[in-house]
Amino acid sequence: MFSKDMRYLELLAPARDKETGFAAIDCGADAVYIAGPGFGARQAAGNSMEDIRELCTYAHRFGVRIFITINTIVYDDELPQVKKLLEEASDAGVDGVIDQDLSLLNIQSSGKGSVLPLHASTQCAIRTPEKARFYEALGFSRLVLERELSLEEIREIRSAVNCELEFFVHGALCVCYSGQCYMSEYITGRSANRGECIQACRSLYDLEDARGKVLVKNKALLSLKDYNLLHRLEDLAESGIDSFKIEGRLKNISYVRNVTRAYSSALDDLVARHPDKYRRTSFGCIRGGFTPDLDKTFNRRYTELFIDGKRGKWSSMNAPKHIGEEIGVVAGIKEASAVGSKETASRASRSRNASEMLVLVSLKNPSCTLHNGDGFSFLNGDEIIGFRGDVCEGNTIRCKAAPGLKSGTTLYRNVDSEFERELEVSLPARTIDVSVSISANSDGKSLNINAESEDGRTVSLNLQTAGEIARDRIRMEGIYRTQISKVSGIYSFILQSLQGEHLPFLKAAELNAIRRDIAARLDDLPCKAIPLGKARPKDRGAVSIPKALTYKENIANHLSREIYEFYGAASIEPAFEISHREGAELLRTKYCIRYELGLCPKYQHAAQTGPLFLVNNGKRYALGFDCAACEMTVSAATPKKR
């Protein structure tokens, strides 16, 4: 059933824990990535191997894959722990490993468990055909590409390699090229490449010129909007992407449900438009439940970044947090006590420690409905202020006093309580379609039953009956169809054909028992999952690497060094060599502060600004502008003497 000419597309969803993983699967994920007990690039999202085993068991019923993240750099004294973790992951049923450190290539080959496919993490900073060929030659079966790539650059990499390609399509964006941000480590000693990022890119900075003049004050100048490529999936598929990845291993379960459902529906539409070209890598139809809405879930506003090869305004410097969807403008504010109702007086008596107010909103969309418990936000200067609407009626919000809120303020809703409730209680069901054919023997004393699931499992039964023939065949046929065409377990049955002149008379309970028996037999058969991509043999002649490797390769153990030396590296700078070196490049990015502020001499024909610096909490960082590559750098700089 697997055509070599068919392209298999995968939706890869995040999970911070097994419950979130279950939710992602139920909402349409073809694969889930999750951290084990250690070495994941999100230190706050670790899981026990027993939980991962449970997740694998559930996932594999639908042909869904589970990938474990071992994507931090690894020190020499940690290699035995990583080896044990790989063996445990293999035993738990994990389908692949998302990996940054090359030591795993050697560790796996000497381990006890089966060799798991390795996916080169986005932390490997793969953004050129040359680097893609290097990782493929090492034996990686999938490459997770940089988010900053354009469709044209993706096509160039696709032409250079045969392995699977994965690309982020939704979620938070690091300002830096992945795996090569050293801001966190420089500031606090907590390395992003060890899962300890402090998110310095979301901090507030002043922008100064060489004379110390403040050009911009107290803005999140390195914070980007969130990625959203919901409407670009077909472009990505045509460019060669196999797996569409959602960011968010620290996000809550409602976020994962909403985003996964939205992208799963979009992928289903893509497959439906091209049934001879594409199909999903897992099985099961998602039916019922909530309607997804990406504007109602956490985001810093959305961007498509560099996907079209064009520079745009990508910054969320004014709103580095979730500000929500704009609902209108504040038309007036009253003290709640001024509203003469018994309910208001009662509420006031319960709120002695906090004054209340009644906010009148001129709604942007008259059909917008506000709900009790909604969360609202507004900008007060450079600060995002949030408050909860205790009672919402029509276009009025009764809430505790929100300092800074005044008439004329644009109001946003960052928590739609009714939508959040829907995400909790109105859940979809994932079921595998099963086609059933029944034929009755000429004497009506037996039935031949054949069932086939959408993934190709088959069950055949021969049922001897009591020999009583149904007097009203048409009515009996209706009963057969009604009772067989139901859901049992994770299977959705449909009676496709019913043949035979003499149908045996069967009670509804007997037909239900037949359906449940088929479901049990299907459960005993493993789902016929789509084969995973395979790594091609190592080919040293296919790649070349620089003779001198810098700290940006994040090499921290002897096994990784040996691999690079095998490929010709003569000098290797250790990881974190940069740590406190003055002038060291802390990050390089496609994003440009000068362009965001209209100061770009290349595209906006602005006058040269001279040197620019970011200042935060007494630390000073020099901005560099590589206009030929259209990249910006942030480097450590000495504080300016006052």
Side-chain angles (χ1 to χ4, degrees), residues 90 95 97 104-105 108-118 534:
S90 176
D95 299 286
V97 179
L104 270 68
L105 292 162
Q108 263 210 136
S109 62
S110 62
K112 297 177 181 177
S114 59
V115 175
L116 294 169
L118 293 182
K534 302 295 184 182

Side-chain angles (χ1 to χ4, degrees), residues 94-233:
V94 164
D95 299 286
V97 179
I98 301 175
D99 166 42
Q100 177 185 185
D101 199 288
L102 298 190
S103 63
L104 270 68
L105 292 162
N106 286 338
I107 292 172
Q108 263 210 136
S109 62
S110 62
K112 297 177 181 177
S114 59
V115 175
L116 294 169
L118 293 182
H119 299 173
S121 167
T122 185
Q123 299 298 105
C124 297
I126 299 171
R127 57 184 184 271
T128 65
E130 293 74 23
K131 199 162 189 181
R133 281 193 291 266
F134 172 66
Y135 278 93
E136 184 184 45
L138 288 176
F140 285 87
S141 61
R142 179 182 296 186
L143 312 180
V144 187
L145 303 183
E146 282 275 16
R147 295 167 172 88
E148 294 83 355
L149 295 178
S150 67
L151 291 170
E152 180 57 35
E153 290 169 322
I154 291 171
R155 284 191 284 268
E156 290 175 0
I157 292 175
R158 174 74 286 167
S159 297
V161 297
N162 295 320
C163 58
E164 293 177 343
L165 297 181
E166 179 179 303
F167 196 71
F168 278 92
V169 293
H170 195 92
L173 285 166
C174 295
V175 68
C176 179
Y177 288 130
S178 298
Q180 297 184 342
C181 181
Y182 305 94
M183 288 280 286
S184 179
E185 198 275 335
Y186 176 77
I187 295 169
T188 66
R190 294 169 53 186
S191 168
N193 283 304
R194 294 283 291 172
E196 301 173 322
C197 180
I198 64 168
Q199 295 194 322
C201 57
R202 308 297 180 191
S203 297
L204 303 180
Y205 297 89
D206 293 342
L207 180 67
E208 294 184 353
D209 64 15
R211 295 171 298 171
K213 180 182 178 181
V214 177
L215 306 179
V216 178
K217 187 169 182 62
N218 211 37
K219 296 279 189 182
L221 289 164
L222 294 176
S223 179
L224 300 189
K225 297 174 183 175
D226 285 2
Y227 219 8
N228 183 338
L229 297 181
L230 183 69
H231 303 296
R232 307 304 299 271
L233 300 185

Side-chain angles (χ1 to χ4, degrees), residues 251-528:
K251 296 294 200 308
N252 62 26
I253 196 168
S254 65
Y255 174 95
V256 172
R257 281 180 177 141
N258 187 31
V259 178
T260 301
R261 185 77 187 275
Y263 277 86
S264 181
S265 297
L267 269 186
D268 282 343
D269 290 344
L270 172 57
V271 170
R273 292 196 304 271
H274 304 282
D276 298 327
K277 187 175 182 180
Y278 301 122
R279 67 142 296 160
R280 305 283 294 273
T281 61
S282 66
F283 301 97
C285 183
I286 316 302
R287 296 180 171 95
F290 65 89
T291 300
D293 186 341
L294 295 180
D295 288 332
K296 291 184 181 295
T297 204
F298 183 98
N299 69 86
R300 302 174 180 88
R301 304 297 173 82
Y302 290 125
T303 177
E304 292 186 350
L305 206 62
F306 198 61
I307 198 69
D308 289 313
K310 298 177 181 177
R311 182 166 292 285
K313 294 300 182 75
W314 306 331
S315 172
S316 65
M317 66 176 70
N318 293 317
K321 302 176 183 177
H322 177 45
I323 194 169
E325 53 185 338
E326 182 181 340
I327 62 166
V329 175
V330 176
I333 299 175
K334 299 179 181 179
E335 288 187 11
S337 59
V339 183
S341 71
K342 293 182 180 179
E343 184 184 356
T344 302
S346 174
R347 289 187 58 81
S349 68
R350 296 196 303 269
S351 306
R352 298 176 187 272
N353 296 326
S355 60
E356 291 188 338
M357 61 185 186
L358 196 70
V359 181
L360 181 66
V361 184
S362 176
L363 294 172
K364 183 178 180 181
N365 182 354
S367 64
C368 175
T369 303
L370 306 181
H371 315 107
N372 295 345
D374 280 356
F376 301 95
S377 63
F378 63 95
L379 283 170
N380 184 20
D382 297 323
E383 186 180 6
I384 299 174
I385 305 294
F387 64 94
R388 182 74 68 176
D390 296 323
V391 179
C392 300
E393 298 176 274
N395 64 339
T396 62
I397 303 167
R398 186 160 61 238
C399 59
K400 292 184 173 56
L405 187 64
K406 57 183 181 293
S407 293
T409 300
T410 300
L411 196 63
Y412 303 86
R413 176 165 59 182
N414 54 15
V415 177
D416 185 331
S417 61
E418 184 63 20
F419 183 70
E420 289 296 318
R421 191 186 73 83
E422 284 288 300
L423 291 175
E424 290 180 5
V425 302
S426 183
L427 300 179
R430 182 170 185 160
T431 54
I432 292 176
D433 289 340
V434 180
S435 175
V436 180
S437 299
I438 298 177
S439 62
N441 286 356
S442 58
D443 58 5
K445 293 183 178 181
S446 64
L447 293 174
N448 294 310
I449 304 170
N450 293 292
E452 182 175 5
S453 65
E454 63 177 277
D455 60 297
R457 286 172 286 171
T458 59
V459 171
S460 296
L461 302 173
N462 182 266
L463 180 68
Q464 300 301 310
T465 68
E468 181 181 355
I469 304 300
R471 295 180 182 180
D472 186 339
R473 188 192 187 285
I474 295 178
R475 182 173 180 275
M476 193 75 252
E477 181 177 337
I479 295 174
Y480 271 65
R481 291 193 182 281
T482 299
Q483 301 307 319
I484 293 297
S485 299
K486 290 184 177 181
V487 173
S488 283
I490 64 167
Y491 305 102
S492 180
F493 291 86
I494 183 71
L495 183 56
Q496 292 284 17
S497 68
L498 182 59
Q499 299 177 343
E501 183 179 352
H502 302 295
L503 283 183
F505 174 81
L506 292 178
K507 297 177 181 178
E510 294 173 303
L511 290 165
N512 288 336
I514 291 172
R515 189 187 65 250
R516 288 193 292 268
D517 184 26
I518 296 172
R521 291 170 184 260
L522 287 171
D523 276 340
D524 290 337
L525 301 172
C527 182
K528 293 189 175 181

Side-chain angles (χ1 to χ4, degrees), residues 15 17-22 25 30-36 47-69 85-97 116 490 526-527 529:
D17 50 38
K18 69 176 181 181
E19 287 76 18
T20 309
F22 293 149
I25 294 166
D30 298 300
V32 171
Y33 63 106
I34 187 170
N47 295 276
S48 72
M49 203 54 69
E50 187 53 43
D51 282 354
I52 290 177
R53 184 186 301 275
E54 288 183 41
L55 185 59
C56 289
T57 298
Y58 183 69
H60 293 164
R61 300 184 74 189
F62 299 98
V64 171
R65 302 163 180 165
I66 301 299
F67 303 136
I68 192 171
T69 58
L85 181 55
L86 283 166
E87 292 169 353
E88 291 174 345
S90 176
D91 183 66
V94 164
D95 299 286
V97 179
L116 294 169
I490 64 167
C527 182

